[in-house]
Amino acid sequence: MTQQANETADARDATDGASLSRAEQIDAKRIRVIRSLDDFPETLTGGAVAIGNFDGVHCGHARLIERLRQRAAEVGGPATVLTFDPHPVVLLRPDKAPPPLTWAERKAELLGELGVDVVVIQPTDLDLLRLSPREFFADVVLGRLRARAILEGPNFRFGRDRAGDVRVLDELCAAAGVKLEIVEPLIVGEQLISSSRIREAIRHGDVDAARRMLTRPYRTRGMVVHGAQRGRTLGFPTANLEAVDTLVPGLGVYAGRAYVDARAWPAAIHVGPNSTFGEHVSQFEAHLVGFAGSLYGQPLEVDFLARLRDTQPFGDSDRLKQQLQADVHAASEVARAMPT
């Protein structure tokens, strides 16, 4: 089993909170994950709200969440994030939908680490996407969440055809007596931090750059399946991952961590074809340093900490084994030096 914090148990518990007082819920020191606005309890209304996809949960998001928490304290309610699953583009323009950086439970976990009290993971459907900006504001912001404050970035868009912008939101908030704060984006290296920029870095294998923009190292997950078992014959058994539902980094060998039963293991990760053996199909496999046991048929979460080298063919298995030994040593050093 893999490490998965604040998952289905929290989601089930979230709707049971109506019997608790507002103070008890906000002071619970653990995030409340609610799977639909239909289940949003009365006791959690009246807080400060941020709405968006929050894909990856990067440092720009962290800046917004810091202000969200401050506003929540001012209005005397929870700091609430409303996000959507799947991304609206998946329904509207599936051919244009970017591969996600985080899955829903991971996103909630990362937001909880930043101090968010409540995360609503709203199922995205066409009825929701058909709401005009005014209807969305009336139904969701005022009707369901009863927000007293809203915090967004300057590029926030909402409502059918993304017709609502911060100017429209300002007008609606002013009329309803809701405090609105626009939080400026974070700039690193003369560029805005954004999910798109992080996605591009990961696509090119630059997980180091991605890690500097994210609040935590980039994490993927997949199911462990049977492979050719060549790594085992070389003395470096690997977990082969398939059904990965987030963006897989570009071809390369990486240092990382893998999580098994709430324990982190240093990992040497290979993304690409096994060209030494004449294969051309890209694989995603991880050698868990020091781990002994079977992971077949289990989900596995893997952090990408640093890129070690390009993939390359080797003249024979002995040369490959020597390189694998060096990779494992380097990956172990990186994992031990980097805080979990």
Side-chain angles (χ1 to χ4, degrees):
M1 301 297 292
T2 60
Q3 180 189 43
Q4 297 182 353
N6 301 319
E7 289 194 333
T8 54
D10 282 347
R12 288 193 300 268
D13 291 347
T15 57
D16 297 334
S19 61
L20 300 176
S21 71
R22 182 190 302 275
E24 287 174 322
Q25 296 222 15
I26 297 171
D27 292 339
K29 301 302 182 186
R30 74 186 187 98
I31 195 168
R32 311 288 301 185
V33 180
I34 299 174
R35 294 289 179 165
S36 171
L37 285 165
D38 293 337
D39 298 325
F40 198 80
E42 175 74 21
T43 50
L44 293 181
T45 59
V49 173
I51 302 170
N53 291 301
F54 291 90
D55 195 17
V57 188
H58 53 64
C59 294
H61 294 142
R63 169 184 279 189
L64 190 148
I65 296 304
E66 181 180 8
R67 289 296 302 142
L68 179 73
R69 294 176 59 198
Q70 293 169 0
R71 280 292 186 179
E74 291 171 7
V75 301
T80 300
V81 166
L82 170 61
T83 189
F84 306 94
D85 186 32
H87 193 294
V89 177
V90 173
L91 274 67
L92 297 174
R93 298 182 299 280
D95 58 320
K96 302 292 185 182
L101 299 175
T102 44
W103 59 97
E105 294 83 5
R106 176 63 176 164
K107 186 187 301 184
E109 179 183 356
L110 293 170
L111 290 168
E113 289 180 356
L114 295 176
V116 171
D117 298 305
V118 184
V119 173
V120 184
I121 304 172
Q122 176 64 23
T124 312
D125 58 35
L126 292 178
D127 287 338
L128 177 69
L129 298 177
R130 290 189 186 108
L131 294 176
S132 69
R134 188 172 298 276
E135 290 169 336
F136 181 89
F137 186 84
D139 182 34
V140 175
V141 177
L142 296 183
R144 306 296 185 96
L145 303 174
R146 299 184 190 176
R148 295 178 183 170
I150 298 180
L151 291 90
E152 299 296 344
N155 297 320
F156 176 67
R157 305 299 291 249
F158 67 107
R160 185 174 57 243
D161 298 327
R162 292 168 49 87
D165 57 13
V166 293
R167 180 188 60 80
V168 173
L169 183 62
D170 184 43
E171 294 174 356
L172 294 171
C173 285
V178 177
K179 298 178 180 178
L180 173 64
E181 181 176 344
I182 303 302
V183 180
E184 290 302 314
L186 190 61
I187 298 176
V188 172
E190 299 183 351
Q191 287 184 291
L192 300 179
I193 289 183
S194 69
S195 298
S196 297
R197 182 181 171 192
I198 294 167
R199 193 174 289 111
E200 191 66 14
I202 292 170
R203 200 176 266 121
H204 286 90
D206 195 352
V207 298
D208 305 81
R211 177 172 47 80
R212 290 191 292 270
M213 291 185 280
L214 294 165
T215 59
R216 302 286 272 173
Y218 181 63
R219 181 174 297 186
T220 61
R221 66 174 181 177
M223 293 297 297
V224 179
V225 300
H226 289 275
Q229 298 191 350
R230 291 196 185 94
R232 186 176 300 278
T233 63
L234 293 169
F236 300 95
T238 61
N240 292 65
L241 276 70
E242 292 186 356
V244 179
D245 54 3
T246 49
L247 178 63
V248 177
L251 305 186
V253 176
Y254 301 87
R257 289 194 191 94
Y259 295 87
V260 181
D261 294 332
R263 178 175 173 181
W265 296 85
I269 306 162
H270 175 264
V271 178
N274 291 309
S275 53
T276 299
F277 301 100
E279 297 180 357
H280 303 288
V281 177
S282 184
Q283 305 286 335
F284 175 10
E285 51 191 336
H287 171 70
L288 281 61
V289 183
F291 177 80
S294 176
L295 296 171
Y296 292 126
Q298 297 184 42
L300 186 68
E301 297 181 14
V302 178
D303 285 347
F304 284 79
L305 303 180
R307 192 174 192 276
L308 299 178
R309 63 176 176 87
D310 292 338
T311 59
Q312 63 186 93
F314 293 88
D316 54 51
S317 59
D318 287 338
R319 292 181 184 177
L320 173 59
K321 187 173 181 178
Q322 290 175 0
Q323 183 60 60
L324 292 177
Q325 289 174 333
D327 293 339
V328 167
H329 176 75
S332 299
E333 292 298 306
V334 170
R336 291 192 180 98
M338 197 170 296
T340 55

